[in-house]
């Protein structure tokens, strides 16, 4: 009987240890977070991922627990605010210590600066080594701007013939050459780090970390990954982004948006009586988005009476900044603020522009739906 009890205790302990080995705990002791602050644990991704967990700060402390099925990078941050603490999620006891400083971002949204230290995770230690390599490029960028700031400012202050003349000067050519060298260094360094780790999950993880979105050019990088890397969490995400299910000739997701008064509009209502609709995902802070607006205005004026409609959907977090931008740009077509619809379309960056017919079938997207290509496509469709 005694031997059976001993065996039972040993088995129970082994089971308990085994279960514990499959759990992670992230305990934080961070100054600057008031009691009641809601924190979220969210996967780092090009998409807007659902939080893995939420917790509330009490006495400057917080705790996340759960199970990691495979290694991923996660962000600990205050809900609906900028600024995060990045770490690798693995089934171990992880600790975050330090402090945060609260401020405001340019758009009025709260921003938290995390001056913290993560311990207990060997994967996080490795991840931070990669971060440091990325930081070296930031230093090169700052050095470049410090050296050529006056030239850059002068370039931005000139227009027309004055700008064309300035671009022929030696000082401009020196800046342009240095800028070109910098971006070549960035591409060479980041691609090197990614492909040096092409046989493990680190390859696609670093690609996701270093690039804000994937374009078809990155398919060549993906194809060099091992099967292990391709089948990792980030490998699967990367493949889905590089070869999206939706494409020209297929139907977009049907969606509903609400205006400032809360009135709902379906895509069918917005497209009623139209032949083609340009869905423009943008943001007030996105300079490429706003630079494209004059072109869209020209096409709108040309074709608004021939069956062309534009629907702009902003992903701004600050409604006031969005309203201000709409007023500044004098947009005459339907405008909405909806991160939910952007998530539905899996918008990973802005501008994202989709030209669809009245039935919601995709005709052209992104590069083929803006600039001269948009003008040519509309001329072809609505001649």
């Amino acid at each position: 009987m005694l031997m059976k009890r001993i065996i039972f205790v040993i088995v129970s302990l082994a089971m308990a240890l085994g279960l514990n080995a499959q759990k992670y705990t992230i305990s934080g002791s961070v100054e600057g977070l008031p009691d009641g602050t809601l924190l979220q644990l969210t996967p780092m991704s090009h998409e807007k991922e659902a939080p893995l967990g939420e917790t509330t700060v009490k006495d400057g402390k917080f705790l996340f627990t759960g199970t990691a099925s495979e290694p991923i990078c996660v962000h600990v941050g205050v809900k609906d605010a900028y600024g995060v603490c990045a770490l690798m999620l693995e089934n171990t006891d992880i600790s975050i210590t330090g402090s945060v400083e609260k401020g405001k971002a340019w758009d009025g949204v709260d921003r938290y600066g995390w001056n913290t230290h993560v311990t207990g995770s060997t994967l996080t230690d490795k991840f931070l080594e990669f971060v440091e390599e990325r930081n070296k490029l930031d230093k090169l960028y700052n050095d470049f701007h410090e050296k050529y700031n006056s030239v850059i400012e002068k370039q931005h202050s000139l227009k027309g013939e004055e700008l064309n003349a300035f671009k022929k000067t030696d000082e401009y050519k020196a800046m342009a050459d240095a800028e070109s060298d910098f971006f070549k260094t960035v591409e060479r360094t980041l691609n090197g780090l990614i492909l040096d780790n092409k046989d493990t999950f680190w390859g696609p993880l670093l690609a996701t970390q270093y690039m804000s979105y994937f374009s078809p050019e990155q398919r060549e990088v993906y194809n060099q990954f091992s099967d292990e890397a391709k089948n990792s969490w980030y490998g699967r995400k990367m493949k889905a982004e590089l070869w999206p299910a939706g494409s020209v000739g297929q139907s977009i997701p049907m969606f509903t948006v609400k205006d400032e008064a809360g009135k709902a509009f379906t895509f069918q209502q917005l497209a009623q009586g139209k032949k083609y609709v340009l869905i423009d995902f943008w943001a007030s802070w996105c300079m490429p988005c706003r630079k494209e607006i004059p072109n869209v205005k020209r096409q709108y004026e040309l074709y608004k009476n021939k069956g062309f409609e534009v629907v702009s959907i902003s992903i701004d977090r600050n409604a006031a900044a969005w309203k201000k931008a709409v007023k500044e740009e004098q947009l005459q077509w339907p405008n909405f603020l909806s991160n939910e619809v952007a998530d539905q379309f899996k918008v990973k960056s802005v501008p994202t522009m989709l030209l669809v017919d009245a039935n919601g079938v995709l005709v052209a997207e992104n590069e083929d739906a803006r600039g001269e290509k948009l003008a040519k496509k509309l001329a072809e469709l609505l001649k």
Side-chain angles (χ1 to χ4, degrees):
M1 180 65 73
L2 179 60
M3 182 59 68
K4 288 182 179 180
R5 288 181 180 177
I6 293 172
I7 292 173
F8 175 77
V9 170
I10 292 173
V11 171
S12 299
L13 284 171
M15 290 178 63
L17 289 171
L19 288 173
N20 186 58
Q22 298 304 312
K23 298 284 185 179
Y24 64 79
T25 64
I26 303 174
S27 57
S29 179
V30 179
E31 296 179 2
L33 292 173
D35 283 2
T37 300
L38 183 60
L39 298 179
Q40 293 183 321
L41 181 70
T42 310
M44 181 276 292
S45 170
H46 286 170
E47 298 181 41
K48 185 176 180 181
E49 300 288 344
L52 299 176
E54 293 186 343
T55 191
T56 303
V57 176
K58 184 177 181 180
D59 298 328
K61 300 182 184 302
F62 59 86
L63 179 68
F64 291 100
T65 61
T67 301
S69 58
E70 55 185 316
I72 60 171
C73 177
V74 293
H75 291 158
V76 176
V78 177
K79 184 179 181 181
D80 297 328
Y82 296 120
V84 296
C85 171
L87 57 97
M88 290 296 298
L89 194 64
E90 55 179 318
N91 292 315
T92 186
D93 294 326
I94 303 170
S95 176
I96 302 175
T97 56
S99 62
V100 301
E101 184 175 349
K102 182 180 178 181
K104 290 289 185 181
W106 69 271
D107 58 0
V109 175
D110 289 341
R111 178 186 291 278
Y112 290 82
W114 288 71
N115 182 23
T116 49
H117 182 59
V118 179
T119 57
S121 166
T122 56
L123 288 181
T124 298
D125 294 340
K126 181 67 174 176
F127 173 73
L128 293 177
E129 291 178 11
F130 291 123
V131 171
E132 184 56 34
E133 292 300 316
R134 176 66 176 79
N135 290 341
K136 292 177 182 178
L137 295 176
D138 288 340
K139 185 179 184 307
L140 287 178
Y141 179 78
N142 292 332
D143 291 344
F144 163 76
H145 268 268
E146 183 177 347
K147 183 175 182 179
Y148 292 102
N149 188 55
S150 62
V151 182
I152 295 170
E153 287 184 351
K154 187 174 181 179
Q155 174 193 1
H156 291 163
S157 68
L158 300 176
K159 294 181 180 179
E161 290 303 319
E162 288 185 334
L163 177 59
N164 291 333
F166 179 62
K167 287 183 176 180
K168 297 177 182 179
T169 64
D170 290 340
E171 62 175 336
Y172 175 85
K173 291 178 181 178
M175 183 277 292
D177 288 343
E179 184 178 48
S180 176
D181 289 342
F182 167 74
F183 284 112
K184 288 178 181 177
T185 299
V186 170
E187 183 177 7
R188 183 172 60 252
T189 301
L190 297 186
N191 280 343
L193 287 170
I194 292 166
L195 293 178
D196 283 347
N197 293 276
K198 61 184 174 64
D199 293 329
T200 70
F201 69 88
W202 285 114
L205 186 156
L206 293 175
T208 306
Q209 173 77 11
Y210 293 150
M211 303 175 187
S212 57
Y213 63 92
F214 296 130
S215 58
E217 289 75 16
Q218 276 80 57
R219 290 177 180 176
E220 182 180 348
V221 174
Y222 174 87
N223 287 333
Q224 296 182 61
F225 290 150
S226 67
D227 288 342
E228 177 185 336
K230 290 178 179 178
N231 291 324
S232 68
W233 195 83
Y234 286 102
R236 299 192 301 272
K237 287 277 187 181
M238 188 173 180
K239 181 180 180 181
E241 188 173 343
L242 287 171
W243 288 276
S247 59
V248 171
Q250 297 188 7
S251 297
I252 63 168
M254 291 296 100
F255 63 91
T256 300
V257 283
K258 292 183 179 180
D259 64 13
E260 293 182 55
K263 183 179 179 180
F265 294 84
T266 64
F267 168 78
Q268 290 88 342
Q269 289 173 316
L270 294 169
Q272 188 172 4
K274 306 297 179 180
K275 296 179 180 179
Y276 295 95
V277 179
L278 179 69
I279 304 173
D280 178 16
F281 290 98
W282 72 299
S284 64
W285 45 261
C286 170
M287 288 303 104
C289 301
R290 300 185 70 160
K291 285 182 179 179
E292 178 64 16
I293 287 175
N295 177 57
V296 177
K297 281 184 175 180
R298 286 193 294 271
Q299 307 315 314
Y300 184 70
E301 288 300 318
L302 284 171
Y303 300 110
K304 66 180 180 180
N305 295 324
K306 297 183 179 181
F308 178 54
E309 181 63 288
V310 180
V311 176
S312 289
I313 302 176
S314 170
I315 64 168
D316 276 284
R317 293 193 185 189
N318 187 323
W322 162 63
K323 293 176 185 176
K324 181 173 181 287
V326 170
K327 185 177 180 180
E328 289 174 346
E329 300 291 353
Q330 300 180 7
L331 303 184
Q332 302 301 312
W333 50 78
N335 286 271
F336 304 94
L337 178 67
S338 179
N339 276 279
E340 292 75 18
V341 174
D343 291 343
Q344 187 178 353
F345 277 78
K346 296 185 177 181
V347 171
K348 300 172 181 65
S349 62
V350 287
T352 289
M353 306 182 78
L354 310 173
L355 182 63
V356 301
D357 66 16
N359 295 316
V361 175
L362 188 63
V363 175
E365 61 181 332
N366 296 324
E367 294 296 334
D368 292 330
R370 57 177 180 254
E372 283 299 315
K373 290 186 177 181
L374 173 64
K376 290 180 180 179
K377 176 61 71 173
L378 290 174
E380 172 191 326
L381 296 171
L382 297 170
K383 60 184 177 182

